[in-house]
């Protein structure tokens, strides 16, 4: 009998997006050797010479790098499989194309590669006229070429073929009745292995029955190309969970299993570590308690080892040179590659865009504006002192300041920065929030369950909820407190990842922890706002309960079910939290590129409290002075700027005011007005008279500039066109310090306000900016989601920025 062939178990680099670097692949081979894996398949979709330019041979430089990679894999005891994807434009009947295909495979064979794969996945089934005349079917054409290449290479021990119908859902009409698969099974030479992904492109489980069915049709045991951890179909999803849903018993029906993992190399430690545990399960050298594969136990072991890896001082991309102080740009890992400008894998390793490495033990990159003298003194003091925990209002961050200058130290908390160690609890939180495509981890489940319950039962704490039983209110607030704490942990996780020692992990995971941090900031602010601020159903402006399409009613896991592909629902946990908010349809609010310079500053967004007024007035006064470049308008009346810019909203509409704060204190705010028409009437009736009393025109204590501002205060309450208010009944004003490096935080702050306005029935919001206020206009436009509406301007020719909710 022929000796049983080795089960091929390892990694396939076959995703769409930027291929891994040479250094990363060498680290991969070390991991694979350590964990007992034996096969690596090279097939990145965006290596031009693998797919789009498959006819072109590698240059001498590329040959040298590929040879080095092959030798490195073989030195680790790994089988290197070279894959080629000619299916997009090959003419199967063309002797010229076949010659070029042989030339390319011969070149790689001469470099020492002894295992190959021909891939015909993700291509059109149609054939050109010449092929239609030469072959009886599409499958016949593929089999003929594959068999010829197999013979040309000397019938290597490992030769893989990926069919166009590579999973059950792509078979027509079914796996057992597919003419395409039947032709493959009958005509493909018996020692060529067929690649299969399971019942789906991304299969939740691989069952013995389904594998036995495809094994029967193909007349051979397939090799699984496993997309369980692939994330190239969604730029907001990452999968750090364990290898699961594959019983080790399926190995008897398989030639092998190769995992096609996350595009981000550093995200694959746990998936590959647990794959190694799965492969070793049942072998004689395993301990008795490990004879059966347990995903949870495998995850715990992988976490323990990953903790050491996470806290290693590694550079991004794992560059080996200590003198190279430049790293790959975050590249936004969008998985929507610009294929027209992409490079060959071997060229790309030296032509990647760069940005400087900067120490993240500070809150800002070197290019950020310098802080003022008082702020520098405050930060210095904060670094040398530690405060005691203080009492804080509901919805605020424990230890975060709610008043006082930014020059004062942050009470109860030091600056979140420096290269520190991630705790095991934080790593478990990270994994739980980015678990698997069909399954959430414990932390994500709790986040979504609590948010769903709080949303559903928000009537318990509505503005007319006085008749609600106290125990029901306490239950709501108890669960709200638990939810807010989890959001806090997510913010701290982001801070720790950015401030950690491992730059390689940071630059791969940063877009994901940043995205979830921002989403959690909105959700946290909104749940804090719900307590006592949501309107009743009887409100004339609409409400949380009757607002048209105010919120999604199902979570992604409910939408997916067992039979759906994971890309049916976009966004992962961030996307599901978004769907549970009133502005779920405004996807552009949540999809924007992360800043190039990660900041380790810890931010918080919360509803306004009356004690914030002093600090807000101080902030807008400083902003006004910076804009005007002048001195204080009045020593006798230091509140005049704040009274004009913020006073009406804080006095008459405080329920639609949100605060942005960091460790230094308040650094921004956004104020909203739900109904501009009724608000203007209230201002004329109460606010303007109060201002006339506060700033009387008689006497010598009133500065002329103060009188000008009072006049502008009265003009601010003028009428807006009905055509504007019909679409945009609500108004907002945003103020933020220029030291704010991460613009997305201001964007998130506005999103929190839009969520509150939408919950109480608003259909649109606008922001007025004067043409002469270039700084504010530029800042608001930079946020990227406000539509400039000219033509709806007031008599002063102001520019109105608006957005439909």
């Amino acid at each position: 009998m022929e000796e049983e062939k080795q089960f091929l178990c390892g990694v396939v680099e076959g995703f769409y997006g930027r291929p891994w670097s040479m250094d990363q692949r060498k680290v991969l081979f070390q991991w694979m050797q350590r964990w007992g894996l034996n096969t690596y398949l090279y097939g990145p979709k965006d290596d031009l010479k693998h797919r789009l330019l498959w006819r072109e041979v590698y240059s001498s430089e590329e040959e040298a790098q590929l040879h080095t990679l092959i030798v490195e894999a073989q030195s680790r005891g790994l089988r290197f499989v070279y894959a080629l994807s000619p299916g997009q434009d090959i003419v199967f009947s063309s002797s010229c194309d076949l010659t070029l295909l042989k030339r390319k495979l011969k070149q790689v064979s001469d470099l020492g590669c002894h295992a190959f794969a021909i891939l015909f996945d993700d291509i059109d089934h149609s054939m050109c006229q010449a092929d239609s005349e030469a072959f009886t079917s599409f499958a016949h054409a593929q089999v003929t070429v594959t068999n010829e290449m197999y013979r040309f290479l000397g019938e290597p021990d490992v030769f893989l073929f990926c069919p166009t119908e590579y999973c059950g859902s792509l078979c027509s009409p079914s796996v057992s009745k597919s003419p395409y698969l039947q032709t493959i099974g009958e005509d493909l030479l018996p020692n060529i292995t067929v690649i299969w992904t399971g019942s789906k492109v991304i299969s939740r489980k691989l069952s013995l029955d389904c594998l036995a069915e495809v094994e029967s049709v193909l007349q051979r045991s397939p090799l699984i190309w496993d997309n369980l951890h692939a994330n190239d179909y969604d730029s907001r999803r990452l999968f750090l969970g364990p290898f699961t849903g594959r019983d080790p018993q399926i190995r008897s029906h398989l030639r092998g299993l190769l995992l096609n993992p996350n595009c981000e190399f550093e995200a694959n430690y746990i998936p590959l570590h647990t794959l190694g545990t799965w492969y070793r399960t049942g072998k004689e050298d395993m301990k008795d308690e490990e004879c059966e594969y347990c995903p949870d136990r495998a995850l715990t072991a992988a976490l323990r080892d990953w903790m050491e890896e996470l806290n290693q001082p590694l550079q991004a991309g794992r560059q080996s040179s200590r003198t190279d102080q430049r790293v790959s740009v975050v590249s936004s890992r969008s998985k929507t590659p610009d294929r027209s400008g992409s490079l060959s894998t071997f060229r790309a390793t030296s032509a990647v865009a760069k940005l400087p490495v900067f120490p993240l033990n500070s809150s800002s990159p070197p290019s950020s504006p310098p802080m003022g003298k008082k702020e520098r003194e405050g930060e210095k003091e904060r670094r040398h002192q530690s405060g005691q925990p203080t009492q804080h209002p509901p919805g605020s961050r424990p230890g975060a300041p709610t008043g006082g200058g930014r020059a004062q130290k942050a009470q109860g908390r030091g600056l979140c920065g420096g290269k520190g160690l991630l705790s095991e609890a934080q790593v478990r939180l990270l994994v739980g929030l980015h678990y698997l495509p069909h399954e959430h981890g414990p932390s994500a489940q709790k986040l979504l369950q609590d948010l769903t319950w709080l949303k559903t039962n928000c009537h318990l704490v509505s503005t007319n909820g006085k008749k609600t039983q106290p125990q029901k209110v306490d239950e709501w607030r108890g669960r709200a407190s638990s939810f807010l704490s989890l959001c806090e942990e997510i913010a701290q996780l982001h801070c720790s990842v950015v401030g950690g020692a491992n730059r390689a992990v940071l630059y791969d995971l940063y877009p994901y922890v940043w995205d979830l941090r921002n989403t959690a900031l909105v959700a946290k602010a909104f749940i804090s706002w719900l307590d006592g601020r949501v309107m009743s159903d009887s409100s004339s402006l609409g409400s949380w309960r009757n607002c048209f399409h105010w919120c999604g009613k199902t979570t992604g896991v409910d939408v997916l079910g067992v039979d759906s592909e994971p890309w049916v629902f976009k966004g992962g946990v961030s996307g599901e939290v978004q769907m549970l908010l009133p502005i779920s349809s405004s996807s552009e609010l949540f999809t924007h590129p992360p800043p190039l310079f990660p900041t380790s500053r810890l931010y918080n967004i919360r509803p306004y409290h009356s004690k914030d007024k002093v600090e807000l007035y101080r902030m807008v006064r400083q902003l006004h002075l910076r804009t005007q470049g002048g001195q204080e308008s009045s020593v006798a009346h230091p509140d005049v700027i704040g009274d004009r810019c913020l006073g009406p909203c804080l006095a008459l509409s405080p329920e639609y005011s949100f605060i942005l704060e960091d460790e230094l204190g308040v650094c921004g705010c956004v104020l909203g007005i739900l109904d501009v028409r009724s608000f203007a009437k209230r201002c004329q009736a109460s606010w303007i008279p109060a201002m006339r009393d506060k700033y009387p025109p008689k006497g010598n204590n009133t500065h002329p500039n103060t009188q000008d501002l009072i006049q502008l205060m009265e003009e601010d309450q003028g009428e807006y066109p009905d055509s504007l208010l019909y679409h945009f009944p609500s108004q907002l004003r945003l103020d933020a310090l220029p030291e704010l490096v991460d613009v997305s935080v201001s964007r998130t702050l506005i999103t929190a306000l839009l969520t509150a306005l939408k919950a109480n029935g608003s259909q649109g919001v606008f922001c007025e900016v004067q043409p002469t206020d270039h700084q504010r206009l530029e800042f608001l436009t930079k946020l990227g989601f406000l539509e400039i509406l000219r033509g709806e301007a007031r008599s002063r020719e102001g520019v109105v920025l608006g957005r439909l909710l």
Side-chain angles (χ1 to χ4, degrees), residues 396-430:
S396 66
R397 187 177 69 236
T402 55
R406 289 174 59 81
Q408 298 178 4
K409 67 176 183 177
Q411 300 176 17
R413 177 172 301 176
L415 183 66
C416 182
K419 292 182 174 59
L421 302 180
L422 282 163
S423 68
E424 182 177 349
Q426 286 182 316
V427 178
R428 285 192 174 274
L429 174 63
L430 175 67

Side-chain angles (χ1 to χ4, degrees), residues 198-225:
S199 59
K200 301 290 180 182
V201 177
I202 304 169
S203 299
R204 183 170 189 169
K205 293 184 178 181
L206 295 175
S207 68
L208 287 172
D209 291 342
C210 291
L211 292 177
E213 180 184 27
V214 72
E215 183 181 20
S216 174
V217 176
L218 295 176
Q219 302 181 31
R220 71 201 74 203
S221 298
L223 177 138
I224 295 296
W225 173 307

Side-chain angles (χ1 to χ4, degrees), residues 470-483:
Q471 59 268 30
K472 293 290 185 181
V473 175
D474 291 342
E475 180 184 6
W476 192 95
R477 288 176 175 163
R479 294 193 66 162
S481 177
S482 175
F483 178 83

Side-chain angles (χ1 to χ4, degrees), residues 587-598:
S587 59
E588 68 275 16
L589 293 176
F590 297 88
T591 54
H592 45 284
L596 291 179
F597 295 98

Side-chain angles (χ1 to χ4, degrees), residues 159-438:
F159 194 91
L160 311 179
F161 166 82
C162 183
T164 307
E165 294 183 4
Y166 56 80
C167 66
S169 61
L170 295 178
C171 294
S172 179
S174 65
V175 173
S176 60
K177 298 180 180 180
S178 167
Y180 175 90
L181 287 188
Q182 289 173 358
T183 300
I184 301 298
E186 293 170 359
D187 296 345
L188 194 67
L189 291 175
N191 288 331
I192 298 177
T193 299
V194 178
I195 292 173
W196 189 252
T197 65
S199 59
K200 301 290 180 182
V201 177
I202 304 169
S203 299
R204 183 170 189 169
K205 293 184 178 181
L206 295 175
S207 68
L208 287 172
D209 291 342
C210 291
L211 292 177
E213 180 184 27
V214 72
E215 183 181 20
S216 174
V217 176
L218 295 176
Q219 302 181 31
R220 71 201 74 203
S221 298
L223 177 138
I224 295 296
W225 173 307
D226 201 333
N227 290 314
L228 180 64
H229 291 86
N231 70 332
D232 53 1
Y233 54 87
D234 191 341
S235 62
R236 299 177 71 187
R237 302 192 75 179
L238 192 72
F239 304 115
L240 305 177
F243 188 73
T244 188
R246 287 92 173 105
D247 193 305
Q249 294 181 4
I250 65 174
R251 291 204 295 255
S252 60
H253 292 270
L254 297 177
R255 175 70 174 89
L257 185 148
L258 303 178
L259 186 64
N260 181 33
N262 297 277
C263 298
E264 293 76 12
F265 175 76
E266 299 295 339
N268 295 314
Y269 192 95
I270 290 176
L272 299 183
H273 190 292
T274 54
L275 173 64
T277 303
W278 176 86
Y279 177 51
R280 297 192 307 271
T281 296
K283 290 188 176 183
E284 295 181 358
D285 58 346
M286 294 290 287
K287 298 178 182 179
D288 293 339
E289 65 269 16
E290 295 177 337
C291 289
E292 294 185 2
Y293 178 71
C294 174
D296 290 339
R297 190 163 58 227
L299 173 61
T300 298
L303 277 172
R304 181 180 60 247
D305 292 345
W306 199 32
M307 288 291 297
E308 298 181 8
E309 189 86 8
L310 286 173
N311 294 315
Q312 294 294 321
L314 299 174
Q315 290 296 316
R318 292 183 178 262
Q319 291 91 342
S320 57
S321 173
R322 292 180 177 270
T323 60
D324 181 10
Q325 292 301 311
R326 300 174 68 83
V327 299
S328 301
V329 72
V330 175
S331 78
S332 76
R333 300 308 307 176
S334 64
K335 271 83 69 183
T336 308
D338 180 6
R339 296 188 174 91
S340 62
S342 57
L343 300 170
S344 167
T345 301
F346 308 111
R347 294 196 186 106
T349 56
S350 60
V352 174
K354 306 284 188 175
L355 61 84
V357 172
F358 55 88
L360 289 174
N361 57 346
S362 63
S363 60
S364 308
S367 60
S368 63
M371 289 187 293
K373 179 179 180 181
K374 290 184 178 180
E375 293 169 350
R376 290 196 302 269
E377 291 174 352
E379 183 165 352
K380 182 178 180 181
E381 178 184 2
R382 188 182 61 254
R383 291 179 183 276
H384 292 282
Q385 298 185 27
S386 59
Q388 298 297 321
T390 58
Q391 297 296 320
H392 54 88
S396 66
R397 187 177 69 236
T402 55
R406 289 174 59 81
Q408 298 178 4
K409 67 176 183 177
Q411 300 176 17
R413 177 172 301 176
L415 183 66
C416 182
K419 292 182 174 59
L421 302 180
L422 282 163
S423 68
E424 182 177 349
Q426 286 182 316
V427 178
R428 285 192 174 274
L429 174 63
L430 175 67
V431 173
L433 293 169
H434 305 88
Y435 202 63
L436 290 169
H438 301 92

Side-chain angles (χ1 to χ4, degrees), residues 71 80 87 100 148 189 228 249 304 357 510 542 560 577 709 721 796:
V71 171
F80 185 99
L100 294 175
E148 184 171 345
L189 291 175
L228 180 64
Q249 294 181 4
R304 181 180 60 247
V357 172
Y510 167 63
L560 283 177
V577 171
L709 287 171
R796 295 198 305 272

